[in-house]
Amino acid sequence: MVKFGLAQPVKRVEDSRLLRGAGQYTDDVPGEGALHLHVLRSPHAAATITGIDAEAARAVPGVVAIVTGADLAAEGIAPIPCMVPIKNQDGTPRAQADRPALALGAVRHVGEPVAYIVAETAQAARDAAELVDVRYDTKPSITDLASAMSDSAPRVHDDAPANRVFDWAVGDAAKVDELFAAAAHVTKLRIVNNRIVVNSLEPRAARAEFDAASGRWTLTTNTQGGWLLKDCLAGAVFKVEPAKFRVITPDVGGGFGMKLFVYPEHVMVCHAARKLGRPVKWTSERSEAFLSDTHGRDHITIGELALDADHRITAMRVTDTANMGAYLSNFGPFIPTLAGTKVLASVYGMKAIHARVFGVFTNTVPVDAYRGAGRPESNYLVERLIDAAARELGIDRAELRRINMVPASAMPFTTAMAQTYDSGDFHKVLDHALDMIDWKGFPVRRAKSAAAGKRRGIGMAYYLEATGGAPEERAEIRFTRDGHVDVYVGTQSTGQGHETAYVQLVNDRLGIDPDKIRVRQGDTDTIPQGGGTGGARSLYSEGQAIALTTATILEKGRKAAADHLEAAEADIVFQDGAFRIVGTDRAIDVITLAADLHGDQGNALDTAEIAKIEKHTFPNGCHIAEVEIDPETGVTSVLRYLVCDDVGTIVNPMIVRGQVHGGVAQGLGQALLENTAYDPESGQLVAGSLMDYALPRADDLPDIEVEFVSVPCASNPLGVKGAGEAGAVGSPPALINAVIDALAVDGIREIDMPATPERVWQAISARQAA
């Protein structure tokens, strides 16, 4: 399968299984004897619950149990905690609003769980739900982020004045003020980063079993790593030892950050399984997912750039208002604060930055990490500001970026946000992207579109990503009696191609036939710890753990090979997948050696290592979009889209290109199509299905051209930089900058995402009317 271990476009080893329908997702897990759980959700955005009458529902044939928030509270089941204890800038703690599994006394967003029904069949549970009489005293709601902190806005939580979760700040405010006072030019923008409904292909699902003899749960669910769920459900919610939980994650059909978290439905199935002594399963319906999966983005940001007389950016000032929704999800406050602000300097040599971030409650679905998690929001702001500054100053957008970029000769470079970039050649990447698109030849293409009555625009964005995640990762390699190698990893694939990349790494280090390597993941019993998947961390984190593990195996193997070959250990070398006696043709490969070492306690070569992930990585790149707009309809067509990326050393370029393609598609969806619209009066999610919420389709996307200028990362031995989120980071600003460039002829200087046909047409019509 693999001629060389690394840097080869090897077809994914998992695809044959998945394309043949041999994958097993959570809802595919055999459900013999399992009960079905249905969630009764609030139809109101804000209301007091004055009573719940479930007697008629209990009489439905097949119904086994109906449970309310009061029942959970009586049993001591705690809410799902927010795990980010950030403080306000004055040192006081943020507001507290952990997410209840079932509402207790009040509901705060449409779709909030009010009760769960368990029955022998899913239909019986749904029928019973319709008969549960919940009496609501409705209240005014607030779903509009722009007005949520106003004095007249209804309070989501009584103990959160002005609906404020936190008032957080970072950076040197005094130095920023000084640089702005001395600036030759200041550019200021107010931008909207629209709310996203994640819409993974596979909906969330969960199945729980409880063993009364051991007091232990087995929870099967589609996660991005089961260890977080295990620890949180045990310690915070059910208040038992973590050993009482086993979390199994089978195949996962997309995560994008949304499947990282502990959800109310996890609590429900575990509670029901213990209460009823039978397996209990739940699978979300698509419309249910709109109301229960965490949403992404949702910021209103005011940004300012200070430039000197030489057009160098000296400082940036940011005020960001971030929607947290009705409750704080596991990492909600982390996204706009610690995650997002660290990349505000991007690739530019600014002297100082100050950012103030307000977290705000609204009567909407909780918001948490979505592909990029804070970094797309910050990159969008920076790249929109630079384009605006270039227009105001009358200089080329690429040239303004070029003169402000940190040069390769300055690496390692510490930014104004205290991030140290270990490597990068931003000028080289930029120039390669400009050559790819023929930037200089664009005026001719624009004139051709104009002759046909169309508006043509070109937009760029240079992004910088800061990967993140757990500070360590584990790998274990076991040699099996059937002649295979099992590699146990602490990350979790949700479609990225992890199995292939890890097979390539092990093949490269140990020379084992790829067909003999099996990747094992997703079971907290067989893998005692793991950092999971998120923050584009998997390859460089798990890769370092695999590198440590294989190094230890080679060390053990030299000793074992010396005994087997009856030679001195100093005379043993490892070459071409085998241990050899120097200067002879006597050798033994790893698998054959392992076959001689099997014992009652396993294999002497079996090894587990934990890698400390002390430094993260900074993938970066340039996106350029060329669009054409029909002024009669407002329809934007993306004619060409290209990416030039630096993701360090590349293990499998085909997988990286696929990841970039997916990220660009999601970014295009946010930029041009996806509008999470709430009704301001009722608080209803009016874009609550795929009939009303426009996900990108194949015909919305051009061929996405991806090329690489690889500068190996200096902070990890593999030289790799995370690539999983990069496409979603660079695409929204590139596309919106292109749209604004196309509309410049109409005098339009700003437009917010999503630039839907209606919004574009209205902008053109308004200018023509003026």
Side-chain angles (χ1 to χ4, degrees), residues 74 125 181 383 435 501 530:
E383 292 302 303
D435 288 343

Side-chain angles (χ1 to χ4, degrees), residues 168-498:
W168 182 89
V170 66
D172 189 337
K175 187 174 181 181
V176 166
D177 290 345
E178 177 186 331
L179 291 167
F180 267 86
H185 181 85
V186 172
T187 292
K188 184 175 182 178
L189 277 181
R190 177 190 183 274
I191 63 169
V192 173
N193 215 289
N194 46 320
R195 177 180 281 241
I196 294 296
V197 180
V198 178
N199 277 303
S200 60
L201 183 62
E202 179 207 19
R204 288 190 300 113
R207 183 184 190 275
E209 299 178 55
F210 182 77
D211 180 62
S214 63
R216 196 164 190 260
W217 283 270
T218 297
L219 173 64
T220 303
T221 184
N222 40 12
T223 78
Q224 291 176 224
W227 300 272
L228 172 72
L229 274 70
K230 173 180 176 174
D231 292 342
C232 181
L233 288 170
V237 179
F238 287 93
K239 298 180 173 60
V240 297
E241 293 297 317
K244 295 297 184 182
F245 272 87
R246 177 188 187 186
V247 179
I248 297 174
T249 300
D251 289 318
V252 180
F256 313 116
M258 179 269 290
K259 287 179 182 167
L260 274 168
F261 315 118
V262 182
Y263 282 93
E265 295 82 7
H266 295 135
V267 179
M268 293 180 215
V269 293
C270 289
H271 176 261
R274 182 175 68 175
K275 180 182 181 69
L276 302 173
R278 289 175 61 182
V280 177
K281 67 178 296 185
W282 167 83
T283 300
S284 174
E285 298 178 358
R286 181 63 59 183
S287 58
E288 191 176 16
F290 273 81
L291 303 175
S292 62
D293 296 351
T294 56
H295 290 178
R297 314 294 191 236
D298 206 350
H299 294 204
I300 298 173
T301 311
I302 297 171
E304 300 172 86
L305 282 185
L307 297 94
D308 66 17
D310 296 322
H311 298 159
R312 295 193 178 277
I313 302 168
T314 59
M316 179 163 58
R317 184 187 289 129
V318 177
T319 302
D320 186 26
T321 303
N323 199 341
M324 296 288 99
Y327 299 99
L328 298 183
S329 182
N330 290 163
F331 302 110
F334 176 74
I335 308 308
T337 56
L338 296 164
T341 59
K342 65 182 180 181
V343 298
L344 280 171
S346 188
V347 297
Y348 308 110
M350 306 178 197
K351 296 178 181 178
I353 298 173
H354 182 261
R356 187 178 185 184
V357 184
F358 295 98
V360 179
F361 287 123
T362 61
N363 293 111
T364 62
V365 175
V367 176
D368 212 312
Y370 171 63
R371 199 169 190 168
R375 284 90 76 191
E377 296 90 317
S378 291
N379 275 275
Y380 181 71
L381 171 67
V382 173
E383 292 302 303
R384 287 286 312 279
L385 277 167
I386 291 179
D387 254 37
R391 284 195 302 273
E392 293 166 3
L393 292 168
I395 65 175
D396 181 74
R397 294 165 282 170
E399 184 59 24
L400 182 58
R401 287 172 170 85
R402 182 180 287 108
I403 65 176
N404 281 284
M405 285 176 166
V406 176
S409 60
M411 300 298 168
F413 179 82
T414 301
T415 73
M417 298 309 289
Q419 301 295 303
T420 299
Y421 303 162
D422 64 275
S423 59
D425 192 336
F426 311 138
H427 292 95
K428 185 175 181 180
V429 173
L430 172 65
D431 289 340
H432 190 73
L434 294 173
D435 288 343
M436 288 171 67
I437 198 73
D438 183 19
W439 183 266
K440 292 179 180 179
F442 175 71
V444 174
R445 302 193 295 276
R446 171 175 268 166
K448 182 178 179 181
S449 292
K454 303 292 181 66
R455 313 287 195 262
R456 194 175 186 120
I458 192 168
M460 69 160 55
Y462 203 106
Y463 79 89
L464 178 128
E465 234 275 80
T467 60
E472 59 184 33
E473 194 50 81
R474 181 183 187 275
E476 181 175 1
I477 294 179
R478 301 178 192 170
F479 293 82
T480 63
R481 292 184 182 275
D482 64 358
H484 286 72
V485 170
D486 287 344
V487 183
Y488 293 82
V489 298
T491 56
Q492 178 63 52
S493 176
T494 60
Q496 300 94 328
H498 288 183

Side-chain angles (χ1 to χ4, degrees), residues 105 132 155 164-165 234 250 271 450 475 494 498 512 543-544 629 670 733:
V132 177
R155 284 195 188 182
R164 188 172 297 170
V165 182
H271 176 261
T494 60
H498 288 183
I512 297 171
Q544 290 184 67
I629 295 173
Q670 180 178 13

Side-chain angles (χ1 to χ4, degrees), residues 7-55:
Q8 300 300 306
V10 176
K11 291 184 178 180
R12 302 191 338 165
V13 300
E14 53 267 72
D15 284 354
S16 175
R17 170 174 60 85
L18 297 174
L19 291 172
R20 288 185 290 105
Q24 186 182 66
Y25 297 85
T26 300
D27 194 54
D28 298 328
V29 174
E32 294 86 354
L35 297 167
H36 295 262
L37 186 145
H38 179 82
V39 184
L40 177 65
R41 301 184 183 276
S42 170
H44 304 293
T48 300
I49 299 173
T50 61
I52 300 177
D53 183 355
E55 290 310 306

